[in-house]
Amino acid sequence: MNVSQDTQLVHSVIDAITRAIGAKPSVLHEPCFQGNEWLYLKECLDSTFVSSVGKFVDRFESDLAKYTGAAHAVAVVNGTAALHVALTVIDVGKGDEVLVPAATFIATANAVSYCGATPHFYDCLPNNLGADFSKLRDYLLRNTRQSLGQCININTNKKIKAIIPMHVFGHPVEMDELLNLCKEFNIDLVEDAAESLGSFYRGRHTGTFGKIGVLSFNGNKIITTGGGGALLTNDSSLAKRLKHITTTAKISHPWNYYHDEIGYNYRLPNLNAALGCAQLEGVNRLVNKKRELYSVYKKTFEGIDGISLISEPRECKSNYWLQGVVIDERFEHLRDTLLKSSNEAGIGVRPLWTLMHQLEIYANCPRMDLTNAESMVKRVINIPSSPTLLMGS
């Protein structure tokens, strides 16, 4: 270990961030309210329709569908609820397995557990957090069999019902390769596009490739409704069922309350949707600012040995929701020092999530070799990513 070299690298990283965004204290990500947010919120409050009924919910769903190119959008209380319902309506249940990336936010795995199913973890690409579908295909060829049009795990004898790809930090995964894999192994596709509103794979918006896609509008996302999420689908019958099951499965009637199945009280309140409508009006500007921030970081990090930026994949347009840096394996021992020193300097940075199989609650779940994810978790750091950093606010 070269102490002086280590110290220089830490200082170089902090200096690069400071030169990019200025010396002012910065959090990892904060929302941007520079449009009609106050106007629409006041209009919603004046209407008194602040709960699950109101014009802003319908408008938000319509605007989301138009922006993403999906035939239908259904707004719900958060992205986790959206994932849960998406898996429920494609009949994921007890005794099933769902392929989930090891490198993801815990909501992806939790939603599988809510259905009584088991997460089955797969690896990412080396030096990239995109899913390694080639490696996964080889794994499935060795560890599954086909029976009556279903993919069966030969080690557990359970059905692998679905796969959830996650577009980490807004960078689209290789969807063509994934679609071919799903067709080959008879596996349903539910996209976790929670972080990728405004991201496109070969000109098509993320979340619109599988049976259902899921978005999140948490306070730290590219646009926010405070809390909130949405389901995207091109299937009209699925859209109808999604809306029904997320509104407690209540049969529409002027006054009677009759519910024809177990549903969920997941509908997005009108008040939150009002905020979302205003936010969505400015989404292109926010994406452009985030892409500009990446370019600024790329320039200030240029020439720093041992550090690289995570960039959008080929033939993709990423929203760069969170800017990410990868520490070379030679310097992976510096990750925690970088985290500590940066935060002490007023620069909000964070590590990658703890990998799903490294959590006690999911330690016994089936998994393939996860060498790449286990390397990346030691070396990835997110740096300040707010679009406001380049807006003078």
Side-chain angles (χ1 to χ4, degrees), residues 181-199:
L181 183 146
C182 289
K183 184 177 180 181
E184 179 179 0
F185 291 95
N186 292 304
I187 297 172
D188 289 334
L189 170 59
V190 172
E191 274 184 85
D192 186 345
E195 301 177 354
S196 61
L197 181 70
S199 295

Side-chain angles (χ1 to χ4, degrees), residues 87 90 92 97-100 120 122 133 136-137 139-141 144-146 149-153 158-165 178-190 209-211:
L87 294 171
I90 64 167
V92 170
E97 292 178 2
V98 177
L99 294 166
V100 172
H120 187 148
Y122 63 88
F133 295 128
L136 177 57
R137 180 178 182 273
Y139 172 78
L140 292 175
L141 286 171
T144 67
R145 60 181 172 85
Q146 291 293 307
Q150 297 179 338
C151 184
I152 307 299
N153 181 344
K158 292 182 177 181
K159 175 176 57 180
I160 299 180
K161 172 65 176 173
I163 183 170
I164 307 177
L178 174 56
L179 290 168
N180 289 335
L181 183 146
C182 289
K183 184 177 180 181
E184 179 179 0
F185 291 95
N186 292 304
I187 297 172
D188 289 334
L189 170 59
V190 172
F209 290 85
K211 283 191 172 183

Side-chain angles (χ1 to χ4, degrees), residues 2 12 89 91 93 116 122 135 155 165-166 235 280 297 309 334:
N2 187 322
S12 295
V89 299
D91 298 322
Y122 63 88
K135 182 177 178 180
N155 302 302
M166 203 271 212
D235 186 316
L280 193 57
Y297 276 135
L309 291 176
L334 291 178

